[in-house]
Amino acid sequence: KLMSHNESLWDGVDGKGAFDDDDDDESVFNDDGKNGDCRKSMKRCGLTWWWETQHFFSTMMRYPHILVISLVTFGVLCGVGIAAITAEKENYIAKQKSTAQFVARETANWFSDEFRRAMLPLYSVQQGVLHSGYFDSLPEKIGRFPNLVIPGTEETDFTVRNVTGICDDRDMINKFRSIVRPINQDNDLDGIVVGYRLFPNNVACLTEPHAQESSDGFNADDFPQGEALLSSDNAFGLDTGSSAFPLWKMITTDLFINRQFNIFGPFNMPPMSELICGHLAIWKDVDSTDVVQDTLNVHGTEVAGAWGFIVNFLDWTKMKDKSDIYKRFADCHLEFDLTRVSGSTVGLDSATLAKSENADMLTDENSIVVTTTSLHGEWQNKVGSLNGWEPAWFPGAVAGIVLASFVLAFLTASTLVERQLHRNLLYKVMPRRAIMKLQRGQTVLEKFNLVTIFFSDIVGFTNMAGNMRPIQVMKMLNELYTELDKLVEKHNVYKVETIGDAYMVVGGAPSRVPAPLAAERVALFALEAVNFVRKFRTKDGNQIFIRAGLASGPTVGGVVGCSMPRYCFFGDTVNFASRMESTSKKMKIQVADITYRLLQDAPTASFVMTKRVEGDIVGVQVKGKGHQVTHWIERAGPRAWDSFVNDEEDVKRDVETPTISSKYSKENYGIKQADSAAEERNYTSEEIYDAMTSQDWESLGHASSSLVAATDDGYSLGFRACALLENHLLRVLQERDPSAEMSLSVKIQLNQFVQEVSETYGTAKFHNWSHANHVTTSMNKLLAIIQEGGEEPIPLNSFSLVFAALVHDAGHTGMSNKILKDIDHPLSKKFDDSIPIAEKNSIDIALDILFREIFSSLRNAILPGEMDKIEFARTLFQSILITDIATPDRVKLGIERFKASQDSQDPDVGLCPLASHISDLFDGVGLDESVKDEHPDEFVVTSSGLKRCVRNEHLMLLSDVGHLCQSWENFIKWNFRLFKELMDCHRKKLCDNPRETWVQGQIAFFDKYIIPLAERCHTFFPDEFGDAIITNAMNNLKLWTMFGIQATNIMALGVRNDEREDAVLMELYGLGSDYLARKGGK
């Protein structure tokens, strides 16, 4: 009954609609009745659609795999669909062409058959003339040329003989008719043959029909139009064998010299427009004694046995009508153009035999040519469709396929977006591992030994909520906790839940991390949350305050129940953290004692914490726990490097590491103090950078000060590396903005980045974290020397080189690239044969770490723009790939690049070391191929670009082998470590015993690589330093030549007996120092 009312409970309490928002603009909905409701619904629908569309595309951009899968789906569907309809189109075209070809050939075959039928009577008449005996006297009566020639015609195109009384003899006419008429009737040619003509001695003589003789029983129906055709005969007496007219010369030559059948036409012979005539030679029976054998002159050629020839006339128009040629092609929606391309033609007959009305519109694209042969010669029929062979439905089908593919791809994208949003929501509700267990029907229960839990609530929330409408309270909490949720993601902690105004966060669970790191993350989150709340204001301008508490300890996490499951934490630590919050104070963060101790060991941040003291009472009374000593977290900063080292720690040192005091004042390092009150203050990164940079090149790591002395302590090395990187990065930032300062988050992330890089270095004796730091220190020193020589550095280039030096052996296995290939190591399968395995793997590891989400602030500081990414990646790839000095071709190309850089000519494009790595370079720093179009000048091999490349390569090469160009102590120390690393490989049967070739191998390495490298590097430094590195290398070579055998024996004995490194090194150092001392004494 209550629920059926239009008003809610809140209406009764508050006096008005509880969920009306004062901030909503109702002016657009002020219409009364249905019109206002309609407008309101339309606006809401529009806004909903707009929000959903924005959300859809933003999700796609946030998760590129959705866009990729959708585009692939679209491409595949389009490709398959278009391929299918294209295949169908090709079948259709083939069918259309096949139909056109069939109709053309079938029509041509019909005409061929009809020609044979029409010419068959001609052979019968020929035989009748020969064997009847009626006409045997005609050749003799006419005689040979020039007998009976009419004067004046003998040298013209039409030579005429006077055959009156011979060829117009009634008896001869009737005899010719008696032969022709029955033959023509028997063949039933439907009036296609319209007449015959006899040419004895090649002279036009007898014709049939003969109009003048129609009274003698002539039936004109036998020869339709024949009477009209031949009644005006002007060829009577024409001597075709002597006339110069090309037509008759061609016909008689074909008949008597070439001895072949001749068909001529179509041609115009009024009153008929289209005639075709067939010509058949008549030959005397030369074996007959009754026939006087004689020759016939055919245009100057005497032809034996020639009697003359017979001609018949065909009505081509009637033959076409009979064939239904126009209907045949029209029924198939085809146009055609039938032409004669060979046969009896001298330009007097038409090449076009027949064509459709629109035949002139046929082109090579919309037609085919069908060639056939017949008695009439070779025909070509151009057949096609004015609309082309392509089906009319094809464009529409393509559009349909594209549209359908787009719809399906869009549906795929929508499905993927919904799944991704659903997955995101699930992952926000509970951990991924818990979801997988629930999906498998398993119980979710996990134990965590040491986590840190954060609780907070709003001070005075109850009174505040009482003065606000529920919707306002909800909005305020949403605004506040949405920002806190962002901080949760930033600090990589886990938000458990919000209960009213309470907010709970856990570090170290469900993703397990070391307890100090978990405590650090939660504490940094708590500090930033309090700072945010300090600036937060409600819409009414009111400030809110929170109190927070942290506690650490064991806990259990899991999902309870099946309906609306939630991932919760249980245990005393949860209650303790809640008590830390409830007993805390406004805008303060109270931590339990165990959390305090964990924060003292935090890996990257240093926390300033004070004990809670109220009057004489230290700590606070906690319900269920009694009196507890607690602390307030005041602030945090980057961890000072020396906080990792104290008297109680068992620090691993080599022989050069002096005793490290538990307190580090400036006075301990021999550095003048600016203020005696700061005696106990730790050194800053700037001061450590200055101390490391001021070392002499020859004795890097051998200074008396423990601030810069060589050590194998990972924390000390890590902080030194941080100091170098931080200093160079600050210069990068200040080049962009002179007033820029490095933020706390960037410093913390830089420390954490160096820590994670250090963890990628293994236990190899040479290629390890210590050597990486020695190379980094050497690189920093080289850059400082170049700057002292007057060259103005490019900050990002300098930072990139120091960065590259630090990571250049990350992930090194202690095995050479050759060994990795020989044993078919997984890394060898990861890269092509042309790519240096270890070097490329180091680049991938470094970039993978840098581009993790937790290093976003650091990454944005280094690489804010595309040009920064290009320069950084280019320097990184150039300087690390060149360190593959075991590959002769790579070393040779590096030397060729150096020589080309000293030449003023334009460099060879083939010298670019990154040509085959461009795609990897782009992928590594998050660029796409379009950057080449946006910045084309950056990808062109130029003289200045080659010089920068060569400089980067040689600085890295010199840093990597710098110990060979420094003091004897540095050289022999790292030489011993490399020897031990190779002995480890030998024990695993991965390589030969290095001892056998060690002495001569080092000499050859100095002669063929180190000294030439030092000589090339002289180009980049002031003369004094350039001379020094060459001198140092030659001195080490000299000492090794003298003591190499002895040193190798000492090394081998130390490895075999597993002696302490410091003892072996002391003996090796003595070889050189004793000699130098004796030399100095002399």
Side-chain angles (χ1 to χ4, degrees):
K1 195 171 183 181
L2 177 64
M3 297 300 292
S4 66
H5 288 296
N6 292 331
E7 298 178 347
S8 70
L9 287 172
W10 292 106
D11 294 331
V13 174
D14 201 11
K16 58 181 178 179
F19 292 92
D20 290 341
D21 191 350
D22 293 340
D23 296 329
D24 288 342
D25 183 6
E26 300 289 345
S27 61
V28 295
F29 302 130
N30 57 6
D31 290 343
D32 296 328
K34 296 182 179 179
N35 188 41
D37 292 340
C38 182
R39 290 180 59 190
K40 186 184 296 184
S41 298
M42 289 177 63
K43 181 174 182 179
R44 286 176 178 171
C45 288
L47 291 174
T48 301
W49 177 85
W50 176 246
W51 185 89
E52 290 287 351
T53 302
Q54 283 187 314
H55 190 49
F56 174 80
F57 285 107
S58 64
T59 303
M60 286 186 67
M61 294 301 104
R62 197 179 312 119
Y63 300 98
H65 73 276
I66 297 178
L67 181 61
V68 171
I69 293 174
S70 302
L71 291 176
V72 169
T73 301
F74 175 76
V76 170
L77 291 174
C78 268
V80 172
I82 291 177
I85 63 172
T86 300
E88 184 61 28
K89 180 193 77 171
E90 296 300 327
N91 290 336
Y92 177 89
I93 291 173
K95 184 178 179 181
Q96 287 292 95
K97 290 183 177 180
S98 177
T99 299
Q101 192 173 52
F102 172 79
V103 174
R105 291 194 180 280
E106 192 270 341
T107 301
N109 289 338
W110 185 92
F111 279 111
S112 180
D113 292 341
E114 199 67 12
F115 273 122
R116 280 194 295 270
R117 288 186 62 226
M119 297 305 163
L120 190 60
L122 204 57
Y123 285 91
S124 299
V125 173
Q126 176 202 51
Q127 295 303 311
V129 169
L130 277 177
H131 298 291
S132 66
Y134 296 156
F135 313 104
D136 292 347
S137 61
L138 288 178
E140 185 179 352
K141 291 178 180 180
I142 295 173
R144 289 172 58 84
F145 178 84
N147 186 44
L148 303 179
V149 171
I150 298 176
T153 66
E154 61 270 25
E155 294 182 357
T156 65
D157 285 346
F158 296 96
T159 301
V160 181
R161 299 206 208 180
N162 185 4
V163 291
T164 302
I166 300 173
C167 293
D168 55 356
D169 180 74
R170 182 181 297 275
D171 183 52
M172 285 290 181
I173 293 172
N174 289 333
K175 287 179 179 178
F176 186 61
R177 179 179 298 157
S178 66
I179 293 173
V180 170
R181 186 166 60 179
I183 291 174
N184 197 63
Q185 289 175 346
D186 291 343
N187 281 276
D188 190 21
L189 296 174
D190 299 325
I192 291 177
V193 178
V194 296
Y196 292 84
R197 175 169 286 159
L198 185 64
F199 287 75
N201 272 14
N202 294 345
V203 176
C205 185
L206 300 174
T207 61
E208 180 63 26
H210 200 285
Q212 288 85 345
E213 305 299 333
S214 59
S215 58
D216 293 335
F218 171 71
N219 184 2
D221 292 338
D222 292 337
F223 299 97
Q225 303 184 36
E227 180 179 356
L229 172 68
L230 299 176
S231 61
S232 58
D233 184 9
N234 56 3
F236 187 69
L238 176 66
D239 187 347
T240 60
S242 301
S243 296
F245 191 64
L247 170 63
W248 296 115
K249 187 174 182 179
M250 179 268 294
I251 291 172
T252 53
T253 299
D254 279 351
L255 292 176
F256 298 105
I257 296 177
N258 299 330
R259 299 201 175 199
Q260 63 185 23
F261 192 88
N262 178 277
I263 297 181
F264 175 77
F267 62 96
N268 185 15
M269 185 174 177
M272 301 185 68
S273 58
E274 292 182 305
L275 279 179
I276 291 179
C277 56
H279 307 82
L280 180 64
I282 302 176
W283 299 90
K284 304 172 185 178
D285 186 0
V286 296
D287 295 331
S288 174
T289 57
D290 297 334
V291 178
V292 179
Q293 292 192 9
D294 198 1
T295 60
L296 184 64
N297 185 287
V298 179
H299 297 285
T301 301
E302 295 294 333
V303 181
W307 188 91
F309 62 91
I310 184 75
V311 180
N312 70 348
F313 298 91
L314 310 180
D315 187 343
W316 176 240
T317 301
K318 182 170 286 189
M319 184 179 286
K320 289 191 292 185
D321 291 342
K322 183 179 180 182
S323 71
D324 285 335
I325 185 172
Y326 297 102
K327 186 174 183 301
R328 286 172 187 254
F329 288 97
D331 288 345
C332 297
H333 307 288
L334 297 171
E335 304 291 334
F336 72 96
D337 185 1
L338 181 62
T339 59
R340 180 182 184 185
V341 294
S342 68
S344 300
T345 178
V346 288
L348 300 176
D349 54 347
S350 174
T352 300
L353 302 176
K355 66 178 182 179
S356 59
E357 183 178 355
N358 298 313
D360 293 338
M361 298 175 67
L362 293 177
T363 64
D364 293 340
E365 286 74 25
N366 63 8
S367 65
I368 60 173
V369 176
V370 181
T371 303
T372 56
T373 58
S374 67
L375 292 175
H376 195 222
E378 183 178 304
W379 286 5
Q380 281 188 351
N381 197 350
K382 192 173 187 179
V383 186
S385 172
L386 296 183
N387 296 325
W389 300 114
E390 189 174 288
W393 49 261
F394 182 71
V398 171
I401 290 292
V402 172
L403 180 61
S405 300
F406 175 79
V407 171
L408 291 175
F410 180 77
L411 292 175
T412 301
S414 299
T415 303
L416 292 174
V417 166
E418 289 299 324
R419 288 185 61 186
Q420 186 64 52
L421 293 175
H422 176 70
R423 191 181 298 114
N424 292 348
L425 184 59
L426 282 177
Y427 293 159
K428 288 180 179 179
V429 171
M430 64 181 64
R432 190 173 300 190
R433 187 168 58 252
I435 293 172
M436 295 176 64
K437 286 187 176 182
L438 288 175
Q439 290 174 339
R440 293 195 295 263
Q442 297 175 331
T443 300
V444 181
L445 185 64
E446 299 177 286
K447 181 180 179 180
F448 302 95
N449 293 328
L450 191 55
V451 301
T452 299
I453 299 176
F454 165 92
F455 264 101
S456 73
D457 73 350
I458 299 174
V459 178
F461 177 75
T462 302
N463 293 333
M464 183 186 301
N467 296 323
M468 301 170 67
R469 289 182 291 116
I471 189 66
Q472 293 174 324
V473 174
M474 186 177 70
K475 279 192 172 185
M476 179 195 70
L477 292 177
N478 184 61
E479 291 173 5
L480 174 63
Y481 289 153
T482 296
E483 294 301 320
L484 295 188
D485 289 345
K486 294 178 182 178
L487 297 180
V488 166
E489 293 185 10
K490 176 180 177 181
H491 293 282
N492 202 18
V493 292
Y494 182 75
K495 174 187 174 182
V496 182
E497 61 184 344
T498 57
I499 304 174
D501 64 323
Y503 196 89
M504 179 180 177
V505 166
V506 174
S511 297
R512 301 175 189 270
V513 297
L517 178 59
E520 174 187 285
R521 290 178 177 177
V522 175
L524 291 174
F525 163 80
L527 284 170
E528 200 161 348
V530 170
N531 287 335
F532 169 75
V533 172
R534 187 173 285 113
K535 302 172 185 177
F536 181 79
R537 297 292 185 274
T538 66
K539 286 194 174 182
D540 295 333
N542 296 323
Q543 183 177 5
I544 63 173
F545 303 95
I546 65 171
R547 56 175 170 257
L550 277 70
S552 302
T555 186
V556 173
V559 177
V560 179
C562 299
S563 179
M564 297 185 66
R566 288 189 306 119
Y567 191 84
C568 303
F569 288 88
F570 306 92
D572 184 62
T573 304
V574 178
N575 296 329
F576 194 16
S578 178
R579 297 289 183 263
M580 287 293 96
E581 174 270 315
S582 62
T583 59
S584 183
K585 292 188 176 181
K586 180 170 65 176
M587 302 304 287
K588 300 282 282 182
I589 305 169
Q590 182 176 226
V591 298
D593 186 58
I594 187 173
T595 307
Y596 166 77
R597 283 183 276 134
L598 288 173
L599 291 177
Q600 285 184 314
D601 295 330
T604 62
S606 178
F607 293 90
V608 176
M609 294 176 285
T610 59
K611 279 186 180 180
R612 177 170 181 170
V613 179
E614 296 180 358
D616 296 331
I617 301 175
V618 177
V620 67
Q621 190 71 21
V622 178
K623 182 180 179 181
K625 286 283 187 180
H627 192 81
Q628 296 288 323
V629 176
T630 62
H631 292 76
W632 303 113
I633 301 179
E634 305 293 348
R635 61 184 180 276
R639 166 69 68 184
W641 72 272
D642 53 300
S643 62
F644 293 106
V645 184
N646 55 53
D647 287 339
E648 287 76 29
E649 289 179 311
D650 181 19
V651 180
K652 180 183 177 184
R653 304 181 182 91
D654 64 23
V655 70
E656 302 155 283
T657 308
T659 303
I660 301 178
S661 172
S662 61
K663 292 184 179 180
Y664 301 99
S665 67
K666 296 180 180 180
E667 194 171 22
N668 295 137
Y669 299 108
I671 300 175
K672 185 178 179 180
Q673 295 186 22
D675 184 358
S676 59
E679 182 175 346
E680 298 298 325
R681 196 182 75 181
N682 293 332
Y683 277 85
T684 65
S685 63
E686 291 83 357
E687 291 164 336
I688 296 170
Y689 168 82
D690 291 339
M692 295 184 71
T693 306
S694 63
Q695 298 178 86
D696 290 334
W697 167 258
E698 290 80 3
S699 57
L700 284 181
H702 285 266
S704 59
S705 167
S706 58
L707 182 62
V708 295
T711 177
D712 287 330
D713 174 53
Y715 286 116
S716 297
L717 294 174
F719 197 77
R720 293 179 189 181
C722 283
L724 296 180
L725 287 172
E726 184 177 322
N727 185 273
H728 284 283
L729 180 56
L730 182 61
R731 295 181 185 181
V732 173
L733 298 176
Q734 291 180 344
E735 182 192 35
R736 298 169 185 156
D737 179 5
S739 63
E741 295 291 339
M742 193 177 300
S743 67
L744 175 62
S745 62
V746 172
K747 291 182 180 180
I748 291 175
Q749 289 183 17
L750 180 59
N751 275 265
Q752 190 171 352
F753 172 80
V754 172
Q755 179 183 342
E756 295 210 16
V757 169
S758 71
E759 292 171 357
T760 67
Y761 281 86
T763 58
K765 299 297 191 299
F766 179 85
H767 295 93
N768 53 31
W769 182 230
S770 294
H771 182 253
N773 273 265
H774 187 82
V775 175
T776 305
T777 305
S778 298
M779 175 64 78
N780 179 70
K781 183 63 179 179
L782 294 177
L783 291 170
I785 291 170
I786 291 175
Q787 186 173 3
E788 290 171 3
E791 180 180 327
E792 188 65 29
I794 300 174
L796 182 58
N797 174 258
S798 298
F799 172 84
S800 302
L801 286 170
V802 175
F803 181 98
L806 187 68
V807 304
H808 81 285
D809 277 335
H812 203 287
T813 60
M815 295 180 284
S816 67
N817 289 335
K818 180 180 182 302
I819 294 176
L820 293 176
K821 292 180 181 179
D822 290 344
I823 66 175
D824 202 21
H825 191 278
L827 282 178
S828 67
K829 300 176 182 178
K830 185 177 178 181
F831 306 109
D832 294 337
D833 291 340
S834 62
I835 296 176
I837 299 171
E839 289 72 18
K840 182 58 168 60
N841 186 52
S842 298
I843 294 174
D844 290 351
I845 289 174
L847 291 178
D848 178 66
I849 296 174
L850 181 61
F851 275 78
R852 291 176 188 171
E853 184 60 33
I854 59 173
F855 298 116
S856 58
S857 297
L858 173 63
R859 187 171 61 254
N860 291 334
I862 303 170
L863 310 172
E866 287 186 345
M867 289 299 298
D868 302 298
K869 292 181 178 179
I870 293 172
E871 176 60 27
F872 173 78
R874 182 164 52 203
T875 304
L876 188 68
F877 274 72
Q878 288 171 349
S879 55
I880 294 182
L881 292 177
I882 194 64
T883 59
D884 176 28
I885 61 175
T887 302
D889 290 342
R890 196 173 302 280
V891 175
K892 181 179 178 182
L893 279 174
I895 296 173
E896 289 180 3
R897 280 193 290 274
F898 175 82
K899 293 178 179 177
S901 70
Q902 305 304 306
D903 194 348
S904 59
Q905 297 181 357
D906 291 336
D908 183 2
V909 176
L911 292 175
C912 177
L914 304 184
S916 59
H917 301 281
I918 289 296
S919 60
D920 290 337
L921 186 148
F922 288 161
D923 293 341
V925 293
L927 295 172
D928 54 43
E929 293 289 339
S930 64
V931 74
K932 289 194 293 188
D933 299 327
E934 296 172 4
H935 307 285
D937 294 342
E938 297 298 320
F939 301 93
V940 177
V941 180
T942 62
S943 179
S944 59
L946 183 64
K947 288 181 179 179
R948 288 196 303 272
C949 171
V950 169
R951 176 184 179 273
N952 293 340
E953 290 179 337
H954 280 69
L955 287 178
M956 176 59 83
L957 288 174
L958 184 57
S959 299
D960 195 24
V961 296
H963 56 279
L964 288 100
C965 300
Q966 293 166 355
S967 65
W968 166 259
E969 288 76 14
N970 266 354
F971 160 63
I972 201 66
K973 167 186 171 180
W974 293 107
N975 189 270
F976 177 42
R977 291 187 173 184
L978 180 60
F979 181 83
K980 289 196 292 182
E981 183 172 292
L982 292 175
M983 285 299 294
D984 286 346
C985 292
H986 172 60
R987 291 193 189 102
K988 299 174 185 176
K989 298 182 179 180
L990 299 177
C991 68
D992 296 333
N993 189 340
R995 179 179 181 179
E996 298 173 358
T997 58
W998 195 250
V999 176
Q1000 292 302 319
Q1002 299 306 301
I1003 293 174
F1005 190 52
F1006 270 110
D1007 281 336
K1008 296 182 179 180
Y1009 183 79
I1010 295 300
I1011 294 176
L1013 172 64
E1015 290 172 346
R1016 295 198 303 274
C1017 288
H1018 192 292
T1019 307
F1020 307 108
F1021 303 106
D1023 289 342
E1024 182 180 355
F1025 181 77
D1027 294 339
I1029 58 176
I1030 297 174
T1031 300
N1032 292 340
M1034 296 181 72
N1035 287 339
N1036 286 328
L1037 171 59
K1038 180 178 180 180
L1039 289 173
W1040 180 260
T1041 304
M1042 297 173 61
F1043 303 112
I1045 296 175
Q1046 188 177 352
T1048 302
N1049 291 334
I1050 294 172
M1051 293 180 191
L1053 186 62
V1055 171
R1056 187 180 67 185
N1057 297 335
D1058 196 22
E1059 297 180 24
R1060 284 173 53 90
E1061 183 181 79
D1062 55 356
V1064 177
L1065 286 178
M1066 288 296 292
E1067 192 172 356
L1068 291 171
Y1069 290 161
L1071 295 175
S1073 60
D1074 290 346
Y1075 169 78
L1076 294 174
R1078 290 195 304 271
K1079 185 177 179 182
K1082 293 180 181 180

